[in-house]
Amino acid sequence: MFRRSFIFGSLTLGLVACGRAPLATIGPDGLPLPQVYRIGPQDINKIQFRMLDGLNALRIAAGAPSVRLNAKLTAAAATHSRDMSVQNRPWHFGSDGSSPIDRLRRIGYGGSLTGETISETYETEIETLGAWIREPDTRAVLLDTDATETGIAWFQEPNGKIWWTLVLANSNRRGIFAQENPIPLQ
């Protein structure tokens, strides 16, 4: 019986050894190889709330009040993310020349824009938030103490590229737009 188990075990080990070599996950520089971050429809809420939680943690640590997610702002951010992909460039203006303020007016948002951050990347939402907080201009937008609400959205292309848009606004200031206050865009 022992001999039969030994032979069977040896054959199994031999077959496993003949199998495919595992794919390398570490590059020649010792760092993990990049992988495409795929976002599926089931990930929408998880990603939005992970980014919202991360944003609020950063805001609270900096002494700024937390913000809440707003569906209208998220819709405006989603429209802009898709439009940046169509234009194939990360910038704050729509293909029709619209500004972030125009997008908020179109969706019927009654508050005022405090800022917008955008990104063209293959990175996760947390990596993108980390990149924004490291840059002084986008950090100022994220930590603006006037912001009370946010919209978070993205558009992912088939190749994995992600176009991120995060809009911050103040729901308490009605009708105050860029003409009265310069709006930081980063």
Side-chain angles (χ1 to χ4, degrees):
M1 182 60 102
F2 176 72
R3 184 175 178 192
R4 194 178 303 167
S5 296
F6 177 76
I7 292 171
F8 180 74
S10 296
L11 286 172
T12 303
L13 186 60
L15 288 173
V16 169
C18 292
R20 267 205 241 162
L23 296 174
T25 57
I26 303 295
D29 57 0
L31 297 174
L33 292 173
Q35 296 180 349
V36 175
Y37 178 60
R38 293 279 176 204
I39 301 172
Q42 72 281 2
D43 300 321
I44 292 172
N45 287 335
K46 289 186 283 188
I47 290 171
Q48 284 180 330
F49 286 106
R50 256 195 311 262
M51 190 173 263
L52 178 65
D53 289 345
L55 173 62
N56 280 331
L58 293 168
R59 289 176 62 81
I60 290 166
S66 62
V67 293
R68 64 186 172 276
L69 201 57
N70 178 287
K72 286 185 175 186
L73 295 177
T74 297
T79 298
H80 189 57
S81 291
R82 181 175 288 275
D83 191 44
M84 285 190 297
S85 171
V86 169
Q87 296 180 72
N88 196 32
R89 63 178 169 178
W91 76 321
H92 295 282
F93 297 94
S95 54
D96 62 355
S98 61
S99 71
I101 293 168
D102 295 330
R103 288 190 289 279
L104 295 192
R105 284 182 180 151
R106 284 180 187 162
I107 53 121
Y109 185 75
S112 64
L113 179 73
T114 60
E116 176 180 81
T117 59
I118 57 173
S119 181
E120 169 193 13
T121 185
Y122 291 88
E123 296 177 332
T124 68
E125 63 279 3
I126 299 303
E127 291 169 318
T128 301
L129 187 59
W132 284 337
I133 203 70
R134 285 190 298 273
E135 294 297 321
D137 292 340
T138 51
R139 179 183 181 88
V141 171
L142 296 175
L143 302 180
D144 187 333
T145 57
D146 285 340
T148 60
E149 296 183 314
T150 188
I152 301 163
W154 62 90
F155 177 77
Q156 187 167 36
E157 296 179 352
N159 68 2
K161 184 189 292 184
I162 306 169
W163 300 86
W164 294 99
T165 304
L166 187 143
V167 178
L168 288 156
N170 184 314
S171 61
N172 301 319
R173 288 194 313 210
R174 302 283 179 203
I176 301 173
F177 293 106
Q179 290 79 10
E180 291 103 354
N181 295 323
I183 304 299
L185 301 173
Q186 299 304 321

